[in-house]
């Protein structure tokens, strides 16, 4: 086959969650760019995990110097280290850049109940940040978190101030 020199599509894995967990969707952000001088024809964009296809879409084409962003989904069934791979299936002028890869870890999860109280035992509202996910807690909240030691931030924002503390959890007898 003769490679076309008019378009050159390159994928890049631009986003995935800090914590990818078993049996929950992980949205993998993919940025595509056409480095060629002409519009590309339509092509398949495929997401693989350890070589197995987990999601795929058809991209209707891409103009020169333009970007296209798309989230593809993956729901891992077990914990471990995976190689995620994004592939554009197009016969373009540089097939060497049609694949992007990265290694990610997938974690089991556990349920924890969390609350914050003042010195009188009254519930207080706080924001908790785990990785790139934030949750507002007011009362008792049940959270599903990765079953690993975590670093997290607990904070409160006032009208003219922000107070935050950095913490790390540990596991004692299987409990956080």
């Amino acid at each position: 086959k003769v490679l076309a020199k008019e378009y050159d599509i390159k994928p890049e894995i631009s986003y995935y969650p800090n914590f990818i967990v078993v049996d929950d969707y992980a949205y993998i952000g993919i940025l595509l760019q056409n480095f060629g001088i002409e519009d590309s024809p339509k092509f398949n964009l495929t997401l693989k995990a350890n070589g197995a296809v987990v999601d795929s879409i058809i991209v209707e084409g891409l103009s020169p110097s333009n970007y296209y962003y798309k989230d593809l989904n993956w729901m891992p069934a077990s914990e471990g280290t995976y190689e995620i791979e994004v592939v554009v299936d197009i016969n373009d002028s540089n097939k060497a850049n049609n694949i992007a890869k990265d290694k990610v870890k997938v974690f089991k999860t556990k349920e924890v109940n969390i609350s914050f109280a003042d010195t009188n035992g009254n519930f207080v509202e706080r924001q908790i940040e785990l990785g790139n996910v934030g949750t507002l807690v007011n009362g008792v909240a049940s959270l599903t978190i990765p079953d690993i030691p975590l670093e997290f931030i607990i904070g409160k924002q006032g009208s003219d101030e922000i107070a935050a503390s950095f913490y790390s959890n540990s596991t004692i007898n299987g409990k956080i």
Side-chain angles (χ1 to χ4, degrees):
K1 292 184 176 181
V2 177
L3 294 177
K5 298 184 186 312
E6 296 82 17
Y7 47 87
D8 177 20
I9 306 298
K10 180 182 179 185
E12 176 184 324
I13 299 170
S14 63
Y15 169 84
Y16 50 82
N18 287 357
F19 301 109
I20 299 174
V21 295
V22 173
D23 295 329
D24 196 10
Y25 280 107
Y27 297 96
I28 311 299
I30 300 150
L31 183 66
L32 300 171
Q33 186 173 4
N34 181 355
F35 289 96
I37 58 173
E38 292 185 9
D39 293 350
S40 76
K42 69 181 178 179
F43 56 90
N44 286 332
L45 172 62
T46 303
L47 174 64
K48 297 179 180 181
N50 286 350
V53 173
V54 295
D55 199 4
S56 183
I57 63 164
I58 294 174
V59 177
E60 292 299 324
L62 192 58
S63 299
S65 301
N66 276 355
Y67 293 91
Y68 176 80
Y69 181 88
K70 181 67 179 174
D71 285 328
L72 293 182
N73 302 311
W74 170 42
M75 184 184 291
S78 59
E79 68 180 312
T81 301
Y82 289 80
E83 180 177 75
I84 56 173
E85 181 178 311
V86 176
V87 179
V88 291
D89 183 16
I90 191 167
N91 195 19
D92 66 3
S93 61
N94 185 2
K95 291 190 75 65
N97 72 0
N98 289 7
I99 298 173
K101 297 180 182 183
D102 207 346
K103 294 263 188 197
V104 298
K105 288 188 177 182
V106 174
F107 302 99
K108 294 185 300 183
T109 60
K110 63 183 172 185
E111 295 288 324
V112 296
N113 291 325
I114 190 166
S115 62
F116 301 100
D118 62 18
T119 56
N120 297 321
N122 300 313
F123 289 127
V124 293
E125 183 178 273
R126 294 292 183 265
Q127 178 79 15
I128 185 166
E129 303 282 335
L130 296 163
N132 56 359
V133 177
T135 302
L136 188 62
V137 176
N138 190 3
V140 178
S142 179
L143 302 176
T144 302
I145 64 171
D147 192 9
I148 58 170
L150 293 172
E151 295 176 341
F152 54 97
I153 298 172
I154 299 171
K156 177 176 173 38
Q157 183 171 349
S159 60
D160 61 350
E161 63 186 7
I162 297 175
S165 299
F166 182 77
Y167 296 91
S168 180
N169 75 333
S170 62
T171 303
I172 300 171
N173 296 329
K175 295 184 178 182
I176 187 170

